[in-house]
Amino acid sequence: MTPLPIRPGVNMARHRRMQRLREEFIAWVLRACAFSAVAGLLLIMIFVFREALPIFTSAETQREATFGGFFTVPNWQPVSDHPKYGIIPILIGTFKIVAVAMVFSVPVAVLAALFASEFASPRLREILKPTIEMLAGIPSVVLGFFALMVMASWIQSVTGSPVRLNALNAGLALSLGVLPTVFTVCEDALRAVPKSYREASLALGASRWQTAWRVTLPAASAGVAAGVLLGLARATGETMIVLMASGNAALGTASVFDSARTLSATIAAELAEVVVGSPHYSVLFFLGALLFLITFVINVAAGLLVDRLRRRLAGA
Amino acid sequence: MSAVILGQKVAPLPAVRPSDAPGRAFTLLSGFAALLIVLMTALIIGDVVVHGWQTVTWEFLSGVPRQGMTEGGIWPAIYGSLLLVVLMTFALVPFGVGAAIYLNEYANPDAPFTRAVRFSVHNLAGVPSIVFGLFGLGFFVQFVGMQMDRALGLDVTWGQPALIWASLTLALLNLPVVIVTTEESLRAVPREMREASLALGATRWQTIRHVLLPQAMPGILTGAILSVSRGAGEVAPILFTGAAYFLPYLPTSPTDQFMELGYHVFVLATQSPDVDATKPLLYGTVLVLLLMTLLLNLTAMLLRARLRANLAGRS
Amino acid sequence: MVTDVPTIRTRLADAPATDPAATPPQASPPHLVARDFHLFYGSNEALKGVSLEIPARTVTAIIGPSGCGKSTLLRSFNRMNDLIPNVRVTGELRISELNVLARDTDVVDLRRRVGMVFQRPNPFPKSIFENVVFGLRLLGVKDRGELEVRAEDSLRRAALWDEVKDRLDHSAMALSGGQQQRLCIARSMAIEPEVLLMDEPASALDPTATARVEELILELKSRYTIVVVTHNMQQAARVSDRTAFMMQGELVEFGDTRQLFTSPHKKLTEDYITGRFG
């Protein structure tokens, strides 16, 4: 047998030189792939803000829409002879719907996460977790459709509300969209709590519920808070559900039985109809930038909480 | 009766443990919360199946919409959805897998660049889908497309909503999904595998190519399937980047607009002149969309379960 | 004195585990050399100036309590420690003429010349055949016939051929632990290294499989320079020509195996082999 290196006529040193070049090239390509995530986030910021910029720089746009006007003009009437771009009713609508969604989804999701991680038998858990993945896998347009076609009528018959599509309906539908997010993050956090904590508590004579409530949940509190924040961000940004279920009237009233309109639904409903570069177009991008900022801040906060949880459990 | 501890009088500890009724009630309540989630999920899926299954016939799947979309089928929407996710996958998987390999196999975890990438992945996952839609319009359509038209001396060809821009927008939206799942599966490959390969004189890339990627394949596949499922269901990002209300022809070029299942559901549910006449069609379309996304999700779940079982069996 | 130590001594005195004739003359140039080699994990000094010379075609055992740095030293010879972040080294390591630590040393070439067998058998989840020819394929060998010949040769040398020749296309994961470890040895030998580094190669195996691996080490010595890290003193006595005793990052004593176990020069060595600690 010929000794290694094997192939006659192949210069091993040269082969290795080429191989090293190839290795370096591949490392560079992979680095570029990783950079695509950074580039993506930066480009989103740049291009969403860029299209909103005329509100601050263009005199022509400012004749119709100004930054100050967003908060002083009482109405949102973009399509009229004298368009009005007051975003207060939209902010109120967003707040109302998101509040309803959080009020319903957080307790249910946290309790269900506690149930799954602390009380459920393995068999029950094996039903519960895939079901929640299924719920997470239902497209939001289907949830919106369900809220529009089915839930709205139930809710109207129970509450006797004069309008079918209102903030309550949208908020409840939205809570279905948010539930899986909150549940998953909470459950992960609860399961990351070391078994020794639970054993210590049980050995002191605490019941399973007392252990869950006074030991496990507090230990995982940063993760639970992160789950709630991620759910909040998701609820604030969710579009199709609210677009289909809320009635979309920018009323600015406090009642959840009135129709309401959110930031995301406003963009979705109006952008397709506007002239590119018009004041209305810029205003819609401004709403997008605002939505981006709100969710970005919430997400960063959630990320910090998750890091804190990880460090605390690692340090323990 | 009282006890004395360290010279202080204290009440004796109760001989009988206080009742744990509230605890039991809360345990029950938590079970009820879980049950509620399962019931709601079953209710939604059940409602769609019950009202939709009779509509889903071969004619419905293969036909085109007729009579102002109150009759006919949904083939153009199915076809458009498929094209959309296929293009998205081609754009998405190489970048996502490449980024995950970099993060897990090359990057120094404390380097500023690595932290910037991780920060971006985390926050990209939280950007609302409608903002991706705005970005797709502002960047791909209005900027890249327009510049391409100018450079190529074309009339408006690329600088308008189109299949290619919608799929690229969705690719960016799903980038975190693929990165996170691929990374998870790379992390699951034991360190010994890397050492064995390197000790045999394999280069870093040879180790990745011949040892790590084959073992991480189920995980990568899971990520790709999950993102396809998500891509097939997202409507907000394609509203302004390429989805069409109605098209009399099937898209043939990346610059064509397209019909899409999710968007079709939205259109049928909210824009129909005659809601009752469209209702069967609407339920049928929702059922097809739901089946598509849920089957993909189920596949991903099974793959992941098998992957985890393999790992558990090995260690 | 602990009771089992005299056993070693008796055995070494009565029936030498290694044939004295096979031990190469001390005059031959050393194959592996360490000179004042230090290694730091961050600020923690794991190896504190190790110097030793290992002749070609001998078996050297490195023994010592866990955490003494014996595996770290072994993994330095093929620079596996490069994989660990924040590792810093000073001093000199040589394999024949090759400066192991030099910046321009090609680690890939180095690792082709220095095979390594790990503590836990780590076959790839591929077929037995693909495991053995993994390194050959990396070298660009494509010819099926040549791959088969070389695979058979390696498997024979690893004393595994007869057990697996009928199922080369079966998964390597289905083999027993001992077979897996011999497969890993075959895999290392297929690319014709000069040196075999073995990091506690039998610690995860049952006694029968351990005996097979030890036999194998003795057979392979005629072709390779072998360094074995072990926590098992009997094993060191059975397989090695020379033994190095390390403690807390320092090389305490290095010499002929029989001499080291029967009449160690250092008090520390004596304490360790008589079981006063570790």
Side-chain angles (χ1 to χ4, degrees):
Chain A
M1 254 190 304
T2 45
L4 294 166
I6 298 137
R7 285 172 307 165
V10 172
N11 176 337
M12 258 338 256
R14 186 159 166 273
H15 174 73
R16 276 294 296 146
R17 242 186 346 263
M18 295 306 294
Q19 203 174 40
R20 265 200 301 269
L21 276 179
R22 206 183 63 162
E23 289 284 315
E24 249 164 64
F25 175 71
I26 288 170
W28 187 87
V29 168
L30 294 173
R31 207 178 151 85
C33 287
F35 184 70
S36 70
V38 182
L41 192 65
L42 283 176
L43 285 175
I44 289 176
M45 277 197 247
I46 293 168
F47 277 85
V48 173
F49 286 82
R50 192 182 88 140
E51 303 287 318
L53 211 57
I55 292 163
F56 303 96
T57 57
S58 153
E60 203 178 323
T61 304
Q62 281 172 339
R63 228 171 293 145
E64 271 192 30
T66 59
F67 180 71
F70 288 148
F71 303 98
T72 50
V73 174
N75 299 320
W76 177 264
Q77 283 162 357
V79 189
S80 76
D81 291 340
H82 300 283
K84 296 194 181 97
Y85 299 109
I87 66 169
I88 297 293
I90 295 179
L91 291 179
I92 292 175
T94 307
F95 179 79
K96 249 184 351 190
I97 292 178
V98 169
V100 171
M102 297 310 280
V103 162
F104 282 94
S105 63
V106 169
V108 174
V110 174
L111 280 173
L114 263 180
F115 179 76
S117 80
E118 308 300 313
F119 308 122
S121 66
R123 260 203 48 213
L124 271 179
R125 191 157 40 221
E126 259 164 45
I127 299 171
L128 187 57
K129 292 196 63 168
T131 309
I132 293 204
E133 287 196 45
M134 296 262 267
L135 182 60
I138 296 179
S140 58
V141 71
V142 175
L143 293 178
F145 152 87
F146 185 74
L148 172 73
M149 304 293 288
V150 184
M151 265 173 68
S153 305
W154 296 348
I155 292 172
Q156 193 178 30
S157 67
V158 171
T159 62
S161 148
V163 268
R164 241 182 120 249
L165 300 180
N166 54 28
L168 180 65
N169 183 38
L172 284 175
L174 190 53
S175 72
L176 290 174
V178 172
L179 266 173
T181 309
V182 185
F183 173 90
T184 309
V185 181
C186 284
E187 213 244 356
D188 280 351
L190 289 168
R191 292 181 53 122
V193 174
K195 216 167 71 183
S196 57
Y197 285 28
R198 297 187 180 92
E199 286 169 350
S201 167
L202 292 172
L204 287 169
S207 69
R208 291 222 289 172
W209 171 259
Q210 286 167 327
T211 303
W213 190 246
R214 295 177 193 219
V215 178
T216 320
L217 197 59
S221 60
V224 174
V228 172
L229 284 182
L230 286 174
L232 182 63
R234 167 102 211 266
T236 313
E238 178 53 60
T239 307
M240 296 317 286
I241 297 176
V242 290
L243 180 62
M244 294 170 82
S246 67
N248 283 321
L251 296 177
T253 56
S255 165
V256 293
F257 300 111
D258 287 335
S259 190
R261 152 175 286 213
T262 66
L263 285 168
S264 55
T266 306
I267 301 168
E270 296 176 11
L271 191 68
E273 317 292 329
V274 303
V275 179
V276 170
S278 68
H280 190 187
Y281 178 86
S282 298
V283 170
L284 291 179
F285 269 88
F286 174 81
L287 295 188
L290 194 63
L291 195 54
F292 176 88
L293 281 179
I294 295 170
T295 51
F296 186 78
V297 168
I298 300 174
N299 275 310
V300 169
L304 292 176
L305 281 173
V306 170
D307 283 349
R308 204 168 98 185
L309 174 76
R310 205 167 290 154
R311 270 202 308 275
R312 189 199 293 174
L313 289 183
Chain B
M1 207 172 84
S2 64
V4 176
I5 295 175
L6 294 177
Q8 300 277 322
K9 261 192 191 165
V10 293
L13 289 174
V16 184
R17 200 158 67 98
S19 141
D20 195 27
R24 236 170 323 197
F26 271 110
T27 312
L28 219 63
L29 199 64
S30 78
F32 184 68
L35 185 69
L36 187 67
I37 296 178
V38 176
L39 282 182
M40 281 312 290
T41 312
L43 199 66
I44 296 169
I45 297 174
D47 179 68
V48 172
V49 172
V50 165
H51 290 95
W53 72 274
Q54 277 171 316
T55 312
V56 183
T57 59
W58 176 245
E59 285 71 34
F60 178 71
L61 293 175
S62 62
V64 297
R66 280 180 284 112
Q67 303 292 329
M69 296 202 265
T70 52
E71 285 177 27
I74 54 167
W75 172 241
I78 296 177
Y79 183 77
S81 296
L82 289 179
L83 268 188
L84 180 73
V85 294
V86 167
L87 278 180
M88 175 201 79
T89 311
F90 279 128
L92 165 65
V93 170
F95 276 97
V97 172
I101 292 175
Y102 179 81
L103 285 175
N104 211 50
E105 305 298 323
Y106 288 79
N108 167 1
D110 299 323
F113 178 73
T114 317
R115 292 159 71 132
V117 173
R118 291 201 181 280
F119 178 84
S120 302
V121 172
H122 169 76
N123 285 291
L124 209 49
V127 173
S129 51
I130 188 74
V131 175
F132 277 98
L134 286 176
F135 162 75
L137 177 65
F139 179 68
F140 288 124
V141 179
Q142 297 295 334
F143 182 75
V144 180
M146 293 280 208
Q147 297 293 335
M148 280 174 69
D149 283 343
R150 198 168 305 158
L152 300 169
L154 295 168
D155 282 346
V156 178
T157 307
W158 297 93
Q160 61 182 347
L163 182 56
I164 174 91
W165 304 138
S167 40
L168 288 179
T169 306
L170 279 184
L172 185 61
L173 179 127
N174 278 316
L175 190 63
V177 179
V178 173
I179 292 181
V180 169
T181 45
T182 305
E183 248 212 300
E184 190 186 336
S185 56
L186 282 173
R187 221 176 292 137
V189 179
R191 202 175 49 119
E192 290 96 56
M193 291 294 120
R194 291 175 181 80
E195 291 189 338
S197 171
L198 291 172
L200 287 168
T203 63
R204 183 138 49 171
W205 174 248
Q206 285 171 328
T207 302
I208 293 166
R209 170 79 189 70
H210 297 293
V211 179
L212 301 185
L213 284 184
Q215 293 193 48
M217 208 33 100
I220 296 171
L221 223 55
T222 307
I225 294 172
L226 276 180
S227 59
V228 166
S229 152
R230 218 181 130 191
E234 279 285 355
V235 178
I238 60 169
L239 281 175
F240 336 114
T241 52
Y245 184 84
F246 173 74
L247 278 181
Y249 54 88
L250 294 178
T252 53
S253 131
T255 58
D256 282 344
Q257 294 202 11
F258 58 98
M259 292 180 73
E260 199 260 359
L261 276 173
Y263 187 54
H264 198 60
V265 168
F266 171 66
V267 168
L268 289 179
T270 59
Q271 325 270 305
S272 170
D274 183 351
V275 179
D276 287 326
T278 1
K279 209 169 170 181
L281 282 188
L282 179 53
Y283 265 105
T285 314
V286 172
L287 180 58
V288 172
L289 175 63
L290 203 55
L291 278 181
M292 240 169 88
T293 49
L294 290 188
L295 283 182
L296 285 166
N297 261 304
L298 201 67
T299 317
M301 264 171 359
L302 291 178
L303 258 175
R304 193 162 40 187
R306 239 183 57 187
L307 177 75
R308 295 209 168 129
N310 277 354
L311 283 175
R314 194 180 308 156
S315 59
Chain C
M1 276 249 168
V2 174
T3 46
D4 65 333
V5 175
T7 340
I8 301 181
R9 286 193 178 163
T10 326
R11 186 183 306 140
L12 286 168
D14 298 349
T18 56
D19 178 8
T23 313
Q26 292 298 309
S28 71
H31 195 181
L32 304 184
V33 176
R35 274 197 204 105
D36 193 28
F37 179 63
H38 296 256
L39 184 143
F40 303 83
Y41 292 119
S43 59
N44 175 27
E45 189 172 11
L47 293 175
K48 301 167 182 169
V50 173
S51 299
L52 83 173
E53 297 191 346
I54 294 173
R57 304 211 163 116
T58 57
V59 177
T60 302
I62 308 181
I63 60 169
S66 48
C68 71
K70 52 192 193 297
S71 284
T72 305
L73 177 63
L74 191 78
R75 294 164 59 95
S76 297
F77 274 106
N78 66 345
R79 292 200 21 197
M80 283 312 270
N81 289 326
D82 286 14
L83 301 182
I84 302 164
N86 299 324
V87 165
R88 204 158 47 79
V89 292
T90 63
E92 193 183 348
L93 290 182
R94 283 190 176 277
I95 292 177
S96 301
E97 78 304 340
L98 178 71
N99 182 348
V100 172
L101 302 176
R103 192 175 279 275
D104 60 350
T105 294
D106 186 338
V107 279
V108 171
D109 270 346
L110 168 70
R111 289 176 189 154
R112 281 179 192 160
R113 289 176 60 179
V114 183
M116 182 163 225
V117 177
F118 295 83
Q119 193 166 351
R120 269 174 37 164
N122 55 358
F124 300 122
K126 299 172 185 275
S127 71
I128 294 170
F129 181 77
E130 284 304 323
N131 264 282
V132 183
V133 302
F134 183 83
L136 294 171
R137 285 196 192 280
L138 295 180
L139 280 170
V141 184
K142 292 200 179 73
D143 180 68
R144 183 80 196 175
E146 179 164 1
L147 289 174
E148 278 170 6
V149 172
R150 286 185 181 276
E152 177 176 348
D153 181 50
S154 301
L155 286 169
R156 279 190 191 282
R157 270 188 273 154
L160 190 61
W161 174 252
D162 291 331
E163 291 161 60
V164 301
K165 65 182 173 201
D166 300 323
R167 44 174 176 149
L168 290 176
D169 56 341
H170 288 206
S171 167
M173 309 308 272
L175 296 174
S176 73
Q179 289 173 322
Q180 285 187 3
Q181 193 62 303
R182 277 179 285 143
L183 177 65
C184 291
I185 296 174
R187 186 174 67 180
S188 307
M189 291 189 300
I191 51 171
E192 300 184 354
E194 311 160 19
V195 180
L196 275 182
L197 305 175
M198 300 189 170
D199 190 357
E200 308 203 15
S203 69
L205 305 183
D206 63 51
T208 326
T210 302
R212 305 276 329 240
V213 169
E214 287 179 7
E215 270 169 44
L216 185 57
I217 292 173
L218 290 174
E219 282 162 28
L220 294 177
K221 158 167 101 156
S222 59
R223 297 180 68 137
Y224 307 100
T225 304
I226 299 176
V227 186
V228 187
V229 161
T230 176
H231 59 253
N232 178 331
M233 280 181 280
Q234 282 89 339
Q235 186 172 66
R238 282 193 297 265
V239 301
S240 70
D241 306 306
R242 295 151 65 83
T243 297
F245 169 58
M246 291 183 64
M247 218 182 113
Q248 292 180 348
E250 284 178 80
L251 181 67
V252 177
E253 187 168 347
F254 179 42
D256 181 79
T257 297
R258 211 167 347 158
Q259 169 261 313
L260 189 125
F261 277 104
T262 49
S263 51
H265 296 306
K266 298 271 172 63
K267 176 83 169 56
L268 262 178
T269 314
E270 182 169 344
D271 287 351
Y272 182 68
I273 61 177
T274 54
R276 282 211 192 124
F277 64 87

